[in-house]
Amino acid sequence: MPEFSDLSNEEEKQFAQGQPRGFPFDPEFRMEDVMLPEDDDMGIASEDDEVAEEEIQTETGFGSVIAVDNLPQVPPEKQEKLAAVIKRLFTHIGTIREGGFWMPSDEETKLTKGFAFIEFLTPEEAQAAKQHTQGYNLDKRHAFKVTMFDEFDKYLKTADEYEEPESKDYAPTENLQEWLMDRRGRDQFVIRYGDETEVCWNDHQKQQAEQVYKRSFWTESFVQWSPKGSYVTTVHTRGVAVWGGPSFGRIQRFSHNQVRLVDFSPNEKYLITYSSQDPSNPREKATVVFNVFDIRTGRKLRNFTGSVDEFAVGAAAGTTGMLKWPVFKWAGGPQDKFIARLGRNAISVYEAPEMMLLDKRSLKLEGVQDFEWSPKDDILCAYQSEQAGGNLPARISLIKLPERTELRQKNLFSVSEVQIYWHPQGDYVAVQVDRYTKTRKSTYTSFELFSVKDKDIPMEVLELPNKTDKVIDFAWEPRGSRFALLHGDGPRPSFSIYAMKSDLKTTVKGVDLVGTQPNKQANQIHWSPQGKYLVLGGLKGMNGQLEFFNADDFEAMSAAEHFMCTDIEWDPTGRFVATSVGHVHQMENGFNLWLFNGQELYQSKRERFLQFSWRHRPDSLLTPEQEAQIQKDFKRYSKKYQEEDELIHTQADADVLEGRKRLQAKWDEWRESRKEYAKELAEGQRKILEQFYNLSQVDDYSIEEVETETQLSQHEEVIKNI
C-alpha cells in the first residue's frame, strides 16, 4: 500500500470512503508540508529520545543491525527455506545489505540456534523493522523478539546489584470531565487552520466562539476527540499523544512510527493505530501495521503486521485494492470486550484485554464480504455473497458473541451490493440490497429491516415506489424508529421519511411512509442527535445548499446557503449545527454556526481552514422517564433560563459599549500625545517654505465664487406624429 503522500486525490478519497462525516482525514493534506520548529518537541518528546539518538549515531557501527530471536531451530535442509521466508518479510520494510543476513547453526547438532542477525542500509530502516515486526507470529509457536544490536551493550552495563529507584510524589491528575460542569451548559469544539489548533466554547448567547486553549504545531496531521470527549488525540510522525483536563496536559503517548490513522474503542479503554510501509522492491506489496494500546497504562497489547493483501478483503478493500478505514471494528458492548476484522471466508474476533482470538479460532463464514457491530450490544450483522456460481444464495446473519449463536438469517438472490446500517441505539438494523434485474443490465434497491429488540427478530422488506430510483443517502433517526432517504435518478432527488409501525403503537408490524417531498437540492442527510430535526445538505456540486427540516411536522423550517460548504456537523445536544469550508477551496475558508431551525448565529473566517469537530459527550445518566419528566416541566425551568439569557445579552451589550469607550479613550490619548508633535512639524514646514515664499501675505486673500456655463453639444431630432 503506498504512502499517503504518493497517492492521488481520488485514491485518498477511496481510502476514507464510507467514513462518518467529520472524519479527520483531509484528502488534500500532505505531511511533507508541515514543518515543525527546530529544537521544539511540542511537549511530546519521548523519554527514550536520547537513547534513540545514540542508537542511530553509534560509535560501534552496528546501529543498522537487528537481532531476531525466537526463530524455529531447523536442520540444514530447511535452513535455506527459513532464511528466504525471514528475508522476504524484512525486505518489505527496508533493504538488507549484501551479505547482511546471518543465521548461526550449532556445530554439533547442525540445527539453527533460533536467532538471526540482519543488517539494513540505514539505522532508520533497522528501527522501522524493530517497530513493525516486534511480536510478529511466524507460526503458532514462534513470535519474533526483535532487539537492536547496540542494545546488548546497554544491557551489559546494567549494575549487578539492585538499585532501588527514586520514589516520586503522587501527582493527582486533572478532572477529565470538568468541561461538562460548565454552568451555562455550553459545548466545546476544536478547529485547525494553518499551523494553529484551537479549542473553543460555543458561546451562542454572545454569538461568538470563546477560546479555551490554543497551540501552534500541536499536531502534524489531524486531531480527534475520543467517543465520550474525555481525550483529544494529536498525530505525529513518531506516534500519537492523548491530552485532556482543563489545561489540556498530556496524559499518555503511544509510539508508532509514521502513524496515519487512529481509532478509539467506544468506551475509551483502548486505542488502535495504523501505518503502512512501502516495500523496497516495487513488485512486492506494502506492509501495514496495526498496534492496539491500553489508554490508561500506555501498554501495547497487540501488534498486527502483514502484507496489505492480508487485510484488504471484501468490504475492507477499496476499488483500487487499498484499505478502507476502519479495518478493525470495535463491538458496541459496554465493556469494549471485542474487536474484529474481516478475513477470507472468516471473521477474526479478538477478546480484550489479551487481544487473542476468541476461543482460539475465527468465525467461519463462507464468502463473507462485510460485517458491522451493533452500537450497543455484542451482536454483529454479517453479509455473505452468493457461492457456487449463484447456486448458493447470499446471506444476512445476526450473530451474538461470544456464544456464536445465530439469532436470525435471511437468504438473498441476484445481489449486486450490500450496505449495513445499524440504528444508533441498536434497536434495528437496515440492510440496503442492490439487486440485478432479470437482464442483469441494471439494478434496483430494496431494504431488509430487522427489529433486533423484538421477539424472534421480525423482518420487513421495503421497496421504493420507483424501482429505477438510486439511493443517495440513508440515515436512522438517533432517537426513535424513523429513517430518512434521499432517492432518485436525477440531479434533484426526492426526500422520504419512513417509520417502523411498531413505534406507532399499533398492533400491525411493518414500515409506514411518513411522507415524500420531491426535487431537493441535497445529497446528504444529517439528523440531530436528539432526533426530530435534520439538515439536508447539498454539498460538492450543489455549492452548499442547506435545508432545515422538522420531521414531526414533515415540513422545511428554513433554507440557507453556505457557499462551497464541505462539512456539516451537529453538536451533541442537537441545538446547533456547524457548517465549514475546508482549504480544498481557495475562498470562504472557515465555519458558520446555526441554530437548529436555520437561524445563523455567527461566522468565523480562517485562512487555510482544515478541520472542525465538536467535542463528544458521554451518554446521559438519566432514565427515559426522568428525561420525559424534565421535558414535561420545561415551562417551569424556562423562565429562569430566559432571565439568565437576558442578563447575558445585557452584559454583552454593556461589554460592547465598554469596549467602544476604551477604544475612544485610547484614540483621545493618542491624539493628545501627537498634538505637540504636529505643532513642531508645522513650524518646521513653515521655516522651510519661508525660504522660497513670502508667507506673511498668505492670510491676505478673499474668496470669490464664479459660475460659468459651457455648451458641450447640440443635437436636433424631428419626432413625427403617429
XYZ file of all heavy atoms in Angstrom, residues 554-612:
492
model
N -43.136 17.274 9.210
C -42.750 16.966 7.837
C -42.825 18.214 6.957
O -43.525 18.275 5.943
C -43.599 15.844 7.231
C -42.940 15.217 6.033
C -41.860 14.367 6.198
C -43.371 15.486 4.744
C -41.227 13.801 5.100
C -42.747 14.932 3.640
C -41.672 14.086 3.824
N -42.082 19.221 7.391
C -42.012 20.448 6.610
C -40.673 21.136 6.852
O -40.054 20.966 7.910
C -43.153 21.401 6.979
C -43.119 21.895 8.411
C -44.256 22.864 8.705
O -45.180 22.952 7.875
O -44.212 23.515 9.762
N -40.241 21.900 5.866
C -38.989 22.642 5.981
C -39.204 23.873 6.854
O -40.195 24.596 6.701
C -38.494 23.047 4.604
N -38.289 24.099 7.780
C -38.361 25.276 8.646
C -37.718 26.477 7.972
O -38.179 27.609 8.125
C -37.676 24.985 9.981
C -38.345 23.895 10.788
S -37.500 23.586 12.361
C -35.989 22.810 11.765
N -36.625 26.248 7.249
C -35.948 27.337 6.548
C -34.942 26.746 5.568
O -34.595 25.566 5.651
C -35.235 28.280 7.531
O -34.208 27.579 8.221
N -34.487 27.595 4.663
C -33.455 27.214 3.699
C -32.354 28.262 3.737
O -32.606 29.442 3.994
C -34.031 27.092 2.299
N -31.119 27.822 3.515
C -29.977 28.733 3.563
C -28.891 28.198 2.647
O -29.035 27.140 2.022
C -29.462 28.887 4.994
N -27.809 28.947 2.580
C -26.674 28.529 1.762
C -25.379 28.896 2.468
O -25.244 29.989 3.014
C -26.719 29.205 0.394
C -25.563 28.784 -0.520
C -25.549 29.551 -1.835
O -26.006 30.706 -1.841
O -25.074 29.001 -2.839
N -24.456 27.943 2.509
C -23.084 28.221 2.925
C -22.220 27.857 1.720
O -21.908 26.683 1.507
C -22.691 27.423 4.158
C -21.344 27.795 4.690
N -20.804 27.222 5.817
C -20.410 28.698 4.255
C -19.616 27.739 6.046
N -19.352 28.624 5.096
N -21.852 28.853 0.955
C -21.234 28.643 -0.350
C -19.979 27.782 -0.233
O -19.106 28.039 0.596
C -20.904 29.989 -0.992
C -20.388 29.882 -2.396
C -21.142 29.268 -3.381
C -19.140 30.386 -2.732
C -20.676 29.168 -4.679
C -18.664 30.290 -4.022
C -19.439 29.681 -5.002
N -19.928 26.716 -1.041
C -18.802 25.781 -1.130
C -18.604 24.978 0.155
O -17.511 24.481 0.430
C -17.510 26.509 -1.500
C -17.533 27.117 -2.890
S -15.947 27.767 -3.449
C -15.694 29.113 -2.304
N -19.650 24.841 0.961
C -19.570 24.072 2.216
C -19.082 22.651 1.942
O -19.526 21.999 0.997
C -20.946 24.059 2.869
S -21.071 22.991 4.307
N -18.173 22.177 2.778
C -17.624 20.824 2.620
C -18.044 19.872 3.722
O -17.982 18.657 3.543
C -16.084 20.877 2.584
O -15.605 21.530 3.775
C -15.596 21.623 1.360
N -18.467 20.397 4.898
C -18.813 19.523 6.026
C -19.971 20.111 6.817
O -20.094 21.338 6.956
C -17.617 19.329 6.963
C -16.498 18.539 6.321
O -16.665 17.325 6.162
O -15.473 19.151 5.971
N -20.805 19.219 7.366
C -21.926 19.588 8.229
C -21.851 18.707 9.472
O -21.681 17.487 9.355
C -23.277 19.380 7.523
C -23.352 20.201 6.232
C -24.434 19.727 8.444
C -24.586 19.906 5.390
N -21.990 19.300 10.658
C -21.903 18.507 11.890
C -22.771 19.129 12.985
O -22.648 20.312 13.280
C -20.443 18.413 12.365
C -20.268 17.475 13.543
C -18.810 17.295 13.938
O -17.929 17.810 13.218
O -18.555 16.660 14.983
N -23.644 18.307 13.582
C -24.473 18.729 14.708
C -23.655 18.684 15.992
O -22.766 17.833 16.157
C -25.671 17.804 14.874
C -26.790 18.012 13.904
C -26.918 17.442 12.660
C -27.951 18.829 14.100
N -28.083 17.854 12.069
C -28.757 18.708 12.929
C -28.393 19.644 15.134
C -29.962 19.368 12.782
C -29.603 20.303 14.987
C -30.378 20.171 13.822
N -23.990 19.579 16.928
C -23.381 19.499 18.245
C -24.062 18.379 19.029
O -25.135 17.900 18.644
C -23.482 20.850 18.971
C -24.795 21.014 19.692
O -25.842 20.683 19.088
O -24.800 21.477 20.847
N -23.469 17.884 20.124
C -24.033 16.727 20.841
C -25.431 16.957 21.388
O -26.175 15.999 21.589
C -23.024 16.491 21.977
C -21.756 17.129 21.524
C -22.172 18.298 20.697
N -25.817 18.204 21.661
C -27.130 18.468 22.244
C -28.228 18.541 21.200
O -29.414 18.521 21.538
C -27.116 19.795 23.026
O -26.939 20.886 22.108
C -25.995 19.811 24.043
N -27.871 18.669 19.933
C -28.874 18.794 18.893
C -29.457 20.186 18.780
O -30.480 20.372 18.113
N -28.830 21.181 19.391
C -29.339 22.555 19.314
C -28.663 23.368 18.220
O -29.252 24.325 17.706
C -29.137 23.267 20.661
C -29.949 22.691 21.805
C -29.709 23.459 23.082
N -28.340 23.308 23.555
C -27.799 24.016 24.549
N -28.523 24.945 25.144
N -26.556 23.808 24.921
N -27.435 23.004 17.876
C -26.661 23.823 16.943
C -26.055 22.956 15.836
O -25.781 21.777 16.027
C -25.551 24.571 17.683
C -26.040 25.350 18.866
C -25.888 24.858 20.154
C -26.684 26.567 18.695
C -26.352 25.555 21.248
C -27.153 27.274 19.777
C -26.997 26.774 21.057
N -25.839 23.591 14.708
C -25.238 22.931 13.550
C -24.057 23.772 13.087
O -24.160 25.000 13.007
C -26.248 22.782 12.398
C -25.608 22.051 11.222
C -27.488 22.050 12.855
N -22.944 23.112 12.790
C -21.770 23.796 12.241
C -21.580 23.370 10.790
O -21.648 22.183 10.470
C -20.521 23.456 13.051
N -21.379 24.330 9.930
C -21.016 24.055 8.540
C -19.655 24.697 8.283
O -19.369 25.777 8.803
C -22.059 24.625 7.567
O -22.184 26.046 7.761
C -23.411 23.974 7.794
N -18.826 24.054 7.507
C -17.465 24.566 7.319
C -17.013 24.383 5.878
O -17.512 23.528 5.147
C -16.491 23.858 8.272
O -16.522 22.458 8.083
N -16.048 25.219 5.509
C -15.419 25.157 4.187
C -13.935 24.918 4.407
O -13.243 25.756 4.992
C -15.630 26.463 3.389
C -14.937 26.376 2.037
C -17.119 26.748 3.213
N -13.447 23.757 3.978
C -12.044 23.422 4.145
C -11.165 24.092 3.108
O -11.651 24.700 2.152
N -9.848 23.934 3.298
C -8.918 24.641 2.426
C -8.793 24.001 1.054
O -7.991 24.443 0.229
C -7.539 24.723 3.085
C -6.740 23.452 2.981
N -7.138 22.285 3.576
C -5.578 23.173 2.346
C -6.244 21.346 3.318
N -5.297 21.848 2.573
N -9.598 22.959 0.783
C -9.639 22.434 -0.585
C -10.160 23.512 -1.528
O -9.900 23.475 -2.727
C -10.522 21.175 -0.666
C -9.890 20.036 0.081
C -11.922 21.445 -0.132
N -10.921 24.477 -0.994
C -11.343 25.646 -1.747
C -10.457 26.824 -1.353
O -10.066 26.959 -0.195
C -12.808 25.972 -1.475
C -13.756 24.878 -1.884
N -13.925 24.490 -3.192
C -14.576 24.086 -1.152
C -14.806 23.516 -3.255
N -15.221 23.249 -2.030
N -10.182 27.687 -2.270
C -9.302 28.817 -2.016
C -10.023 29.986 -1.365
O -9.383 30.906 -0.876
C -8.661 29.276 -3.338
C -7.823 28.203 -4.012
C -6.656 27.745 -3.152
O -5.997 28.554 -2.510
N -6.411 26.450 -3.132
N -11.357 29.958 -1.368
C -12.126 31.088 -0.855
C -13.059 30.640 0.264
O -13.357 29.452 0.412
C -12.973 31.704 -1.992
C -12.168 32.210 -3.168
S -13.250 32.611 -4.552
C -14.371 33.789 -3.788
N -13.499 31.625 1.060
C -14.534 31.424 2.081
C -14.150 30.381 3.120
O -15.014 29.705 3.684
C -15.861 31.019 1.423
C -16.386 32.007 0.407
C -16.780 33.344 1.022
O -17.190 33.353 2.188
O -16.658 34.366 0.320
N -12.858 30.211 3.413
C -12.447 29.234 4.421
C -12.937 29.661 5.800
O -12.826 30.828 6.180
C -10.923 29.098 4.448
C -10.393 28.203 3.339
O -9.262 27.764 3.388
N -11.205 27.931 2.337
N -13.439 28.690 6.573
C -13.923 28.977 7.916
C -15.183 28.192 8.217
O -15.509 27.211 7.538
N -15.912 28.598 9.273
C -17.122 27.872 9.654
C -18.227 28.843 10.030
O -17.972 29.989 10.417
C -16.838 26.910 10.816
C -16.492 27.569 12.120
C -17.482 27.878 13.054
C -15.175 27.886 12.438
C -17.167 28.487 14.258
C -14.851 28.499 13.642
C -15.848 28.806 14.551
N -19.463 28.360 9.912
C -20.659 29.090 10.321
C -21.394 28.272 11.378
O -21.449 27.037 11.282
C -21.603 29.342 9.146
C -21.018 30.305 8.123
O -19.907 30.811 8.291
N -21.761 30.560 7.061
N -21.993 28.953 12.369
C -22.799 28.294 13.399
C -24.261 28.679 13.199
O -24.582 29.859 13.025
C -22.332 28.699 14.800
C -21.508 27.666 15.575
C -22.360 26.456 15.928
C -20.274 27.228 14.801
N -25.122 27.654 13.239
C -26.552 27.839 13.006
C -27.338 27.280 14.188
O -26.915 26.316 14.835
C -27.004 27.103 11.741
C -26.176 27.330 10.530
C -24.952 26.772 10.245
C -26.495 28.168 9.407
N -24.495 27.203 9.032
C -25.420 28.057 8.485
C -27.573 28.983 9.084
C -25.399 28.735 7.272
C -27.559 29.660 7.873
C -26.484 29.536 6.983
N -28.514 27.853 14.420
C -29.472 27.278 15.343
C -30.170 26.125 14.628
O -30.170 26.047 13.396
C -30.479 28.335 15.788
C -31.193 28.127 17.134
C -30.188 27.983 18.262
C -32.142 29.279 17.403
N -30.802 25.229 15.374
C -31.398 24.034 14.783
C -32.448 24.371 13.720
O -32.709 23.567 12.823
C -32.039 23.170 15.873
C -33.262 23.795 16.501
C -34.523 23.494 16.026
C -33.150 24.682 17.554
C -35.652 24.067 16.590
C -34.270 25.263 18.122
C -35.531 24.957 17.639
N -33.056 25.562 13.812
C -34.110 25.930 12.867
C -33.596 26.700 11.656
O -34.377 27.174 10.839
C -35.182 26.751 13.580
C -34.624 28.047 14.176
O -33.446 28.365 14.000
N -35.457 28.782 14.891
N -32.268 26.853 11.555
C -31.692 27.503 10.385
C -31.310 28.948 10.576
O -30.849 29.596 9.639
N -31.480 29.474 11.793
C -31.059 30.854 12.063
C -29.547 30.900 12.206
O -28.974 30.189 13.025
C -31.727 31.367 13.337
C -31.267 32.759 13.752
C -31.797 33.164 15.118
O -32.731 32.552 15.636
N -31.190 34.180 15.712
N -28.884 31.734 11.422
C -27.428 31.844 11.505
C -27.039 32.656 12.731
O -27.533 33.767 12.942
C -26.861 32.492 10.246
C -25.338 32.527 10.230
C -24.769 33.075 8.938
O -25.213 32.622 7.862
O -23.902 33.959 9.012
N -26.137 32.096 13.559
C -25.707 32.766 14.786
C -24.460 33.613 14.552
O -24.418 34.779 14.910
C -25.453 31.727 15.885
C -26.678 30.921 16.330
C -26.280 29.879 17.362
C -27.754 31.844 16.900
N -23.414 33.024 13.985
C -22.194 33.790 13.718
C -21.323 33.046 12.721
O -21.524 31.855 12.450
C -21.417 34.088 14.999
C -20.962 32.884 15.793
C -19.718 32.296 15.578
C -21.763 32.356 16.801
C -19.285 31.215 16.329
C -21.349 31.283 17.562
C -20.110 30.712 17.316
O -19.696 29.629 18.062
N -20.363 33.786 12.176
C -19.402 33.241 11.224
C -17.992 33.428 11.763
O -17.734 34.352 12.538
C -19.519 33.931 9.863
C -20.872 33.807 9.199
C -20.908 34.503 7.851
O -19.908 35.064 7.393
N -22.069 34.460 7.203
N -17.091 32.557 11.339
C -15.678 32.688 11.711
C -14.842 32.322 10.489
O -14.818 31.162 10.070
C -15.335 31.771 12.888
O -13.966 31.889 13.237
N -14.170 33.305 9.910
C -13.346 33.095 8.722
C -11.897 32.838 9.137
O -11.334 33.585 9.936
C -13.408 34.308 7.794
C -14.819 34.683 7.346
C -15.483 33.569 6.555
C -16.862 33.984 6.063
N -17.575 32.864 5.398
N -11.298 31.788 8.618
C -9.899 31.457 8.901
C -9.225 31.009 7.606
O -9.772 30.177 6.878
C -9.792 30.318 9.937
C -10.590 30.531 11.227
C -10.066 31.689 12.041
N -10.909 31.968 13.184
C -10.653 31.581 14.431
N -9.560 30.882 14.686
N -11.482 31.881 15.412
N -8.044 31.544 7.364
C -7.295 31.127 6.184
C -6.745 29.719 6.390
O -6.383 29.333 7.502
C -6.142 32.100 5.911
C -6.602 33.488 5.464
C -5.437 34.373 5.086
O -4.295 33.864 5.076
O -5.659 35.559 4.797
N -6.701 28.957 5.311
C -6.204 27.575 5.327
C -6.917 26.764 6.415
O -6.313 26.068 7.214
C -4.691 27.532 5.544
C -3.870 28.111 4.398
C -2.403 28.117 4.730
N -1.944 26.775 5.049
C -0.924 26.511 5.868
N -0.267 27.494 6.446
N -0.556 25.271 6.116
N -8.244 26.848 6.398
C -9.045 26.133 7.397
C -8.998 24.638 7.088
O -9.232 24.210 5.961
C -10.484 26.642 7.376
C -11.316 26.128 8.517
C -11.228 26.702 9.770
C -12.186 25.062 8.334
C -11.988 26.238 10.823
C -12.947 24.585 9.379
C -12.854 25.179 10.629
N -8.737 23.826 8.120
C -8.507 22.398 7.925
C -9.571 21.507 8.546
O -9.943 20.481 7.974
C -7.136 22.002 8.488
C -5.933 22.710 7.879
C -4.681 22.414 8.675
C -5.747 22.281 6.428
N -10.064 21.870 9.727
C -10.891 20.907 10.451
C -11.779 21.597 11.472
O -11.376 22.571 12.121
C -9.990 19.883 11.159
C -10.725 18.774 11.874
C -9.777 17.818 12.590
O -8.559 17.913 12.434
N -10.335 16.911 13.352
N -13.010 21.093 11.596
C -13.931 21.470 12.669
C -14.488 20.187 13.256
O -14.924 19.299 12.515
C -15.075 22.341 12.135
C -16.061 22.770 13.196
C -16.015 24.053 13.716
C -17.015 21.893 13.687
C -16.908 24.449 14.702
C -17.914 22.269 14.672
C -17.855 23.556 15.180
